[in-house]
Amino acid sequence: MKQWALVLLLFVMFVRGMPEFLGTASANASLPLEATYTSVVNGWVKVERWKDSDPNFLAEDYPPDGRGDQTGQRLTFFDNVARPHSSRFFTLLRTGLGYEL
């Protein structure tokens, strides 16, 4: 019984400490949807590009030789920006056979 009480106590301490450990989001941050694409290859139904305005997002360091650059359809999804800021990202939506959004 003492072991379970100890486990429960440690769990509660861990959960209560999580917000301080993770930090808090900026009060000024927002998450607007910038674009939606429905003509997508590789079986995806839809792609949505989002922008997180939280100032804690820093620009990504891309390799100078272009290995990390966006190409092909991903380049289109990032509005033809080969090296997009880390605060821009997209979600891929896939549905089951016969299911429509």
Side-chain angles (χ1 to χ4, degrees), residues 31-40 46-51 74-80 88-93:
L31 192 64
L33 175 63
E34 290 188 323
T36 300
Y37 301 90
T38 55
S39 180
V40 185
K46 181 167 59 170
V47 171
E48 298 174 338
R49 186 179 70 241
W50 298 84
K51 167 91 169 78
R74 284 191 319 265
L75 183 62
T76 302
F77 299 153
F78 282 112
D79 201 24
N80 295 314
R88 285 196 158 79
F89 58 93
F90 57 86
T91 58
L92 302 169
L93 303 173

Side-chain angles (χ1 to χ4, degrees), residues 33-85:
L33 175 63
E34 290 188 323
T36 300
Y37 301 90
T38 55
S39 180
V40 185
V41 297
N42 296 330
W44 298 104
V45 174
K46 181 167 59 170
V47 171
E48 298 174 338
R49 186 179 70 241
W50 298 84
K51 167 91 169 78
D52 193 327
S53 65
D54 188 320
N56 293 311
F57 265 109
L58 303 176
E60 183 174 343
D61 290 327
Y62 288 91
D65 62 3
R67 283 177 289 152
D69 290 6
Q70 302 301 319
T71 60
Q73 197 170 36
R74 284 191 319 265
L75 183 62
T76 302
F77 299 153
F78 282 112
D79 201 24
N80 295 314
V81 176
R83 297 178 179 187
H85 193 276

